[in-house]
Amino acid sequence: MGPLVGYVPGVYDLFHVGHLNLLRQARAQCDVLVAGVVTDEMCRLAKGVTPTVPLAERLAIVDAIGIVDAVYAEETPDKADAHAVVGFHRLFKGDDWRGTEKGDRLEARMATLGVEVVYFPYSLQTSSTALRRALRLRDGRAS
């Protein structure tokens, strides 16, 4: 058996301490850690938001902090596609997914590939959504 490969997908827009904590927690539970950085197009489709920081810069930031062994540009919403390229054994997500319909679907899909889904506490205090909201308010734009 080779090294245990972990995969931690995310947009990683407006990189903040919540991202850092997620990556650190994932790093502690695998031998090799790959960060899947969602493309701008996938973020628009999944969340209806265009990232503030372009993909190339987000990939560079996540790669440069020294926690992950590799970064991967995630171009589809199906984690099985990432699995086919990366070959991970554990997929790490925030616990805001646990017990939800999308989380249950993810767990079922990953189970067919022999992948364990591991949840970490979601950082409610700091999120890219909260940061975007604060910036809009600061700039005098509501919503």
Side-chain angles (χ1 to χ4, degrees):
M1 210 168 175
L4 194 148
V5 179
Y7 185 70
V8 58
V11 178
Y12 300 105
D13 194 24
L14 302 173
F15 195 88
H16 54 75
V17 73
H19 295 134
L20 187 62
N21 290 338
L22 179 65
L23 292 169
R24 283 179 173 159
Q25 290 174 56
R27 168 86 268 168
Q29 294 199 28
C30 58
D31 301 314
V32 175
L33 182 61
V34 178
V37 181
V38 175
T39 64
D40 295 356
E41 181 181 347
M42 285 311 308
C43 185
R44 280 190 293 275
L45 290 173
K47 296 185 173 196
V49 174
T50 299
T52 303
V53 178
L55 175 63
E57 292 178 22
R58 291 182 284 121
L59 286 164
I61 290 165
V62 173
D63 189 45
I65 61 173
I67 297 173
V68 302
D69 297 293
V71 292
Y72 169 75
E74 196 173 275
E75 297 178 346
T76 73
D78 189 348
K79 301 302 182 242
D81 293 337
H83 181 267
V85 175
V86 176
F88 51 86
H89 307 100
R90 284 191 181 143
L91 178 110
F92 302 102
K93 291 296 286 179
D95 66 1
D96 56 320
W97 278 60
R98 186 192 313 262
T100 66
E101 188 177 320
K102 64 184 178 180
D104 292 345
R105 279 195 315 268
L106 177 65
E107 289 179 37
R109 179 81 165 127
M110 291 297 98
T112 67
L113 302 171
V115 173
E116 175 187 14
V117 177
V118 177
Y119 296 102
F120 294 126
Y122 183 73
S123 175
L124 289 175
Q125 296 81 8
T126 306
S127 71
S128 297
T129 301
L131 290 172
R132 273 192 292 281
R133 187 179 310 117
L135 288 171
R136 282 192 305 268
L137 289 172
R138 186 196 72 182
D139 292 343
R141 295 178 281 151
S143 69

